[in-house]
Amino acid sequence: MSHFNAHAEQWDDNEKIHMMKILAERTIEALQSRNKLSQKHHIIDFGCGTGLFGLELMDIAKTLTGVDTSEGMLAVFNQKTSGNPDIRSVLIDLENETTDITGDLIVSSMAFHHLADPRKMLGTLVRMLNPGGAVVLVDLDSEDGSFHPDNAGMGVKHFGFTKSTVSDWAQTHNLRLQYSVIHEVKKNNRAYPIFLAVFERNDQQKKRNSK
């Protein structure tokens, strides 16, 4: 957390802005192709940081709640969104605290590789869903640890995730999974794939099929 607090005011560089814009656009395209955007949603952005990803989703949002553990990041988020009654932030550590916040669409971009227990967090987020909702995860495919310049200092706990690992999370929580690679970041003379995973409760699909 100290890394993010220390770098919050300088976080929004051109590279991050460009990447998050692309990831948000690809996320919206993927959700549209799966007929998940017939109406606007109450969106929760888990690990929202300064809002680079979540704020790109406002066209599909009724409301946006940015959730993060970093006071510094949320201070920048709040500066950006000041005066907008449909946007709020919540300072909370969902790995160790509970909340009554709920949403129709819970998104998280490039945050899960900072978590101690991503599998457990997915279950936490699923329990925060309103009926018919979905958790949308955008993160790094498995990599060799070279994506970040300082893994320990930046709080990196996982070098991305394989599709098999993400599928295992879904099975643990009895979720349907739709998985696709949506982007590649090119640096360090190599390409780092970034995936999109959409998780829904299996009972939601059963209800659709019975109609």
Side-chain angles (χ1 to χ4, degrees):
M1 189 189 308
S2 60
H3 167 80
F4 296 105
N5 282 331
H7 292 84
E9 292 186 3
Q10 295 81 35
W11 190 257
D12 293 4
D13 60 33
N14 290 333
E15 181 180 349
K16 292 189 187 75
I17 292 170
H18 179 67
M19 183 179 76
M20 288 298 182
K21 183 176 179 64
I22 291 174
L23 295 180
E25 288 174 349
R26 300 282 167 80
T27 297
I28 291 173
E29 289 169 3
L31 292 173
Q32 287 174 331
S33 71
R34 295 177 174 91
N35 298 315
K36 298 185 186 301
L37 298 181
S38 58
Q39 59 185 14
K40 291 191 174 185
H41 299 291
H42 295 291
I43 298 177
I44 297 172
D45 183 5
F46 169 74
C48 67
T50 64
L52 288 180
F53 181 78
L55 294 177
E56 293 286 346
L57 305 179
M58 284 308 296
D59 284 347
I60 65 171
K62 287 182 181 177
T63 62
L64 174 66
T65 300
V67 173
D68 208 290
T69 60
S70 168
E71 293 183 20
M73 288 290 195
L74 289 183
V76 177
F77 180 96
N78 292 335
Q79 290 171 8
K80 293 181 181 180
T81 60
S82 176
N84 189 327
D86 297 324
I87 302 175
R88 64 168 178 158
S89 69
V90 177
L91 179 68
I92 187 171
D93 177 5
L94 286 178
E95 290 194 279
N96 298 295
E97 301 175 72
T98 60
T99 181
D100 59 359
I101 302 168
T102 61
D104 307 316
L105 191 64
I106 301 179
V107 303
S108 181
S109 179
M110 304 297 281
F112 259 50
H113 59 261
H114 294 283
L115 299 175
D117 192 341
R119 184 197 307 268
K120 182 179 178 181
M121 180 56 67
L122 177 60
T124 297
L125 297 182
V126 168
R127 289 190 291 274
M128 293 166 59
L129 285 175
N130 293 327
V135 173
V136 177
L137 171 63
V138 176
D139 216 305
L140 287 164
D141 196 355
S142 182
E143 50 103 4
D144 62 1
S146 62
F147 183 85
H148 296 88
D150 178 8
N151 290 304
M154 299 175 75
V156 175
K157 295 183 172 60
H158 306 272
F159 298 155
F161 308 100
T162 65
K163 182 179 179 181
S164 175
T165 295
V166 176
S167 297
D168 189 46
W169 297 346
Q171 291 178 5
T172 296
H173 298 295
N174 191 30
L175 303 171
R176 294 183 68 245
L177 168 65
Q178 293 173 314
Y179 178 102
S180 59
V181 174
I182 59 171
H183 185 53
E184 284 188 341
V185 175
K186 295 181 179 179
K187 65 178 185 178
N188 303 328
N189 296 315
R190 60 165 295 180
Y192 299 88
I194 295 179
F195 67 85
L196 169 75
V198 181
F199 301 93
E200 293 181 284
R201 294 188 183 95
N202 269 314
D203 56 358
Q204 294 174 192
Q205 184 65 20
K206 291 177 182 178
K207 290 178 182 178
R208 292 193 190 104
N209 292 341
S210 65
K211 289 181 179 179

